[in-house]
Structure formats: structure tokens, C-alpha cells
């Protein structure tokens, strides 16, 4: 499955901010995107940022990460740079 370049950048940022492997980061973000009703292959910046701030924190907490909001802030910051 081909994902958008934004999805790829968000996955890289999630890997950097956590102990998740590449596969785990991609899967976690893919689940959060799909739960929000979007497609990882065509997600745009506003959609992905909505996921990062609203759906992803819940996924990270479910994985036992207590600093989920800080992680999401780091991902959003990474996505803001071009």
C-alpha cells in the first residue's frame, strides 16, 4: 500500500519520538488515521494534523505511553516544516 509523503514523515517522527519500531509506528499511525475516517494513502496535512491531535494520543496511551501529548506535539512540529 502506498502512503502519502506526509504519512511517511509522520511515521518517521513517531519512530524518533518513541521506542516504536518502523513497523509499529506505521501500524499505529495507520490505525489512528483509519479510525478518524481517512485513507493513509491520500491523507492531507489538515487531516493528518487532526489525527495527530485527536486520534493518535488515544492509540499511544493504549500502548502505555504516558507522554502521548508531548509525542504528538513533536510529530505536529515535524509536519509543520517543509
Amino acid at each position: 500500500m502506498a502512503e502519502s509523503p506526509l504519512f511517511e514523515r509522520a511515521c518517521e517522527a513517531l519512530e524518533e519520538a518513541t521506542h516504536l519500531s518502523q513497523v509499529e509506528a506505521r501500524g499505529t499511525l495507520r490505525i489512528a488515521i483509519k479510525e478518524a475516517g481517512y485513507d493513509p494513502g491520500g491523507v492531507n496535512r489538515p487531516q493528518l494534523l487532526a489525527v495527530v491531535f485527536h486520534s493518535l494520543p488515544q492509540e499511544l496511551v493504549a500502548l502505555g505511553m504516558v507522554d502521548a501529548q508531548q509525542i504528538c506535539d513533536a510529530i505536529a512540529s515535524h509536519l509543520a516544516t517543509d
Side-chain angles (χ1 to χ4, degrees):
M1 171 186 301
E3 281 86 5
S4 76
L6 284 172
F7 175 85
E8 299 294 339
R9 289 182 63 199
C11 288
E12 290 171 9
L14 181 56
E15 282 180 72
E16 290 173 15
T18 66
H19 65 275
L20 296 176
S21 70
Q22 180 182 30
V23 171
E24 292 168 326
R26 293 175 68 81
T28 300
L29 189 56
R30 190 176 287 119
I31 289 168
I33 291 170
K34 287 183 178 181
E35 295 233 344
Y38 302 122
D39 172 26
V43 69
N44 62 36
R45 189 179 314 266
Q47 292 169 335
L48 189 53
L49 287 171
V51 168
V52 167
F53 287 119
H54 299 289
S55 301
L56 187 58
Q58 295 170 353
E59 294 299 323
L60 297 177
V61 168
L63 292 173
M65 296 183 196
V66 295
D67 54 350
Q69 191 58 52
Q70 291 172 325
I71 293 167
C72 291
D73 289 344
I75 295 168
S77 182
H78 188 77
L79 292 173
T81 60
D82 284 329

